[in-house]
Amino acid sequence: MQILDGKKAAQSIRDELKLDTAQLAVEGKKLPHLVAILVGNNGASETYVAAKVKACEEVGLKSTLIRLEDSITETKLLDEIQELNTDPDIDGILVQLPLPKHISDEAVIHAIDPDKDVDGFHPVSVGKMVQGLPTYISATPYGIALLLEHYNIDTKGKHAVVVGRSNIVGRPMSILLSSNSKYGNCTVTICHSHTKDLGAFCRDADIIIAALGRPQFITADMVKEGAIIVDVGITRIADATRKSGFRLVGDVDYESVAPKCSWITPVPGGVGPMTIAALMKNTYKACATKN
Ligand code: NAP
């Protein structure tokens, strides 16, 4: 069993981006600028945004964090996005989800200029991805694709089972894996909460992408010998042996599943760092296409 080490792969992407960004500076060109909008004080969102801003700084990208009150109206937020859309200094815009209940995620995603949609959630970006056209691919599926590429995983002709069909992970992942690309050409099955006998589908999989948000759900009896496992889930579970009182686990029961696999991502340190690295790549691209 070998580890698909997201920390290492993400570091190599960041090192590359650092050199590319330094080169832009040498040439006197504009540096990529990402704006992250954080509405309210959701603890997990604070952590994710802080990690994104830190990663930007590390590679020399400009980043601005806009913090808005929980009570902001949808109209005000849309106005704010509109201003960023027209600001030539800003290359990428991301709005950290989830948003407060009175604001529509959909309205906000649709308001972002597709040219600055570095999260790849806008229907224009998704539509282009489906058609195999150049676009921003949403960060988690793109990060997973980059991870598979980093470790030279040959996906061609393999049966990939994606568990989860969310717009931000499962569904775009299924499209990428089925695309005619270096990280695609799989035969893909997409499973969800209405799938009958999930275990049977998983047991037939050469690659399992677990993105269902159910801690340690995929167990050894659901995995065939030699499978490649990508665990997207991140959930905090209570752990009295830890100082913090909790630990992070994925959607895969790592202890029992890992010995059966050819490759597996750890949690943490697998998909998480790749998601951020993919966002950085999208931001760099957003600027490079203008430079
Ligand atoms: P989500 O929007 O809640 O979607 C979960 C999907 O899993 C849904 O399609 C759901 O089916 C399906 N599902 C739920 N229970 C199932 C079951 N028992 N059997 C089969 N399918 C089932 O979640 P998400 O946003 O995609 O995120 C999934 C996980 O990935 C979460 O733990 C999240 O924290 C994590 N995540 C990690 C990163 C990262 O960077 N590492 C990024 C994003 C998300 P239905 O559609 O039928 O409801």
Side-chain angles (χ1 to χ4, degrees), residues 48 140 163-166 168-170 191-195 198 210-214 217 231-235 251 271-272 275:
Y48 293 140
T140 301
V163 190
R165 58 175 168 185
S166 71
I168 63 165
V169 187
C191 298
H192 44 76
S193 66
H194 299 279
T195 298
L198 179 66
L212 61 161
R214 307 267 163 144
F217 191 91
D231 189 354
V232 186
I234 311 179
T235 309
D251 288 345
V271 175
T275 296

Side-chain angles (χ1 to χ4, degrees), residues 72 78 131:
I72 189 168
L78 296 180
Q131 296 193 348

Side-chain angles (χ1 to χ4, degrees), residues 14 22 29 45-46 53 74 100 152 179 196 209 248 275 291:
R14 286 202 298 271
K29 290 183 174 159
S45 294
E46 295 255 2
V53 169
E74 183 176 299
N152 290 315
S179 67
K196 288 190 179 129
I209 311 287
L248 294 174
T275 296
N291 256 323

Side-chain angles (χ1 to χ4, degrees), residues 15-273:
D15 289 346
E16 221 173 88
L17 280 173
K18 205 171 182 174
L19 291 176
D20 291 345
T21 309
Q23 185 60 29
L24 289 180
V26 167
E27 291 170 13
K29 290 183 174 159
K30 180 184 158 356
L31 293 182
H33 186 177
L34 173 74
V35 171
I37 299 180
L38 177 61
V39 183
N41 305 303
N42 177 311
S45 294
E46 295 255 2
T47 310
Y48 293 140
V49 167
K52 290 168 187 174
V53 169
K54 187 170 161 249
C56 279
E57 281 165 12
E58 195 192 318
V59 299
L61 306 183
K62 272 171 77 180
S63 68
T64 304
L65 173 58
I66 299 180
R67 287 173 173 276
L68 300 170
E69 292 293 324
D70 230 351
S71 56
I72 189 168
T73 63
E74 183 176 299
T75 311
K76 277 239 169 81
L77 177 56
L78 296 180
D79 288 348
E80 182 86 37
I81 292 169
Q82 192 45 38
E83 246 179 67
L84 299 171
N85 281 342
T86 53
D87 183 339
D89 185 52
I90 289 156
D91 304 293
I93 303 169
L94 79 82
V95 180
Q96 187 66 42
L97 301 177
L99 289 165
K101 288 209 163 42
H102 65 279
I103 300 176
S104 149
D105 287 5
E106 199 176 288
V108 167
I109 289 168
H110 290 200
I112 296 170
D113 178 348
D115 286 341
K116 299 189 178 189
D117 175 37
V118 287
D119 252 344
F121 295 163
H122 193 285
V124 168
S125 309
V126 178
K128 285 184 174 175
M129 184 198 62
V130 170
Q131 296 193 348
L133 300 170
T135 187
Y136 303 110
I137 301 170
S138 56
T140 301
Y142 185 29
I144 293 169
L146 292 170
L147 184 62
L148 296 174
E149 194 184 352
H150 181 86
Y151 284 97
N152 290 315
I153 303 292
D154 184 11
T155 54
K156 195 166 50 185
K158 297 213 158 74
H159 179 206
V161 170
V162 180
V163 190
R165 58 175 168 185
S166 71
N167 284 339
I168 63 165
V169 187
R171 195 172 294 282
M173 192 70 236
S174 71
I175 304 289
L176 281 188
L177 288 166
S178 67
S179 67
N180 186 358
S181 67
K182 55 193 166 196
Y183 33 70
N185 289 312
C186 290
T187 303
V188 179
T189 302
I190 181 157
C191 298
H192 44 76
S193 66
H194 299 279
T195 298
K196 288 190 179 129
D197 200 357
L198 179 66
F201 287 104
C202 289
R203 274 188 292 280
D204 189 57
D206 304 307
I207 301 174
I208 297 177
I209 311 287
L212 61 161
R214 307 267 163 144
Q216 300 170 313
F217 191 91
I218 307 289
T219 45
D221 58 305
M222 299 167 80
V223 174
K224 83 171 170 193
E225 286 290 337
I228 297 162
I229 308 284
V230 175
D231 189 354
V232 186
I234 311 179
T235 309
R236 273 183 180 196
I237 60 165
D239 184 344
T241 67
R242 301 282 173 101
K243 219 167 146 188
S244 59
F246 71 86
R247 70 191 158 97
L248 294 174
V249 296
D251 288 345
V252 175
D253 180 32
Y254 189 89
E255 293 300 316
S256 71
V257 169
K260 285 184 92 173
C261 301
S262 55
W263 293 90
I264 187 166
T265 57
V267 176
V271 175

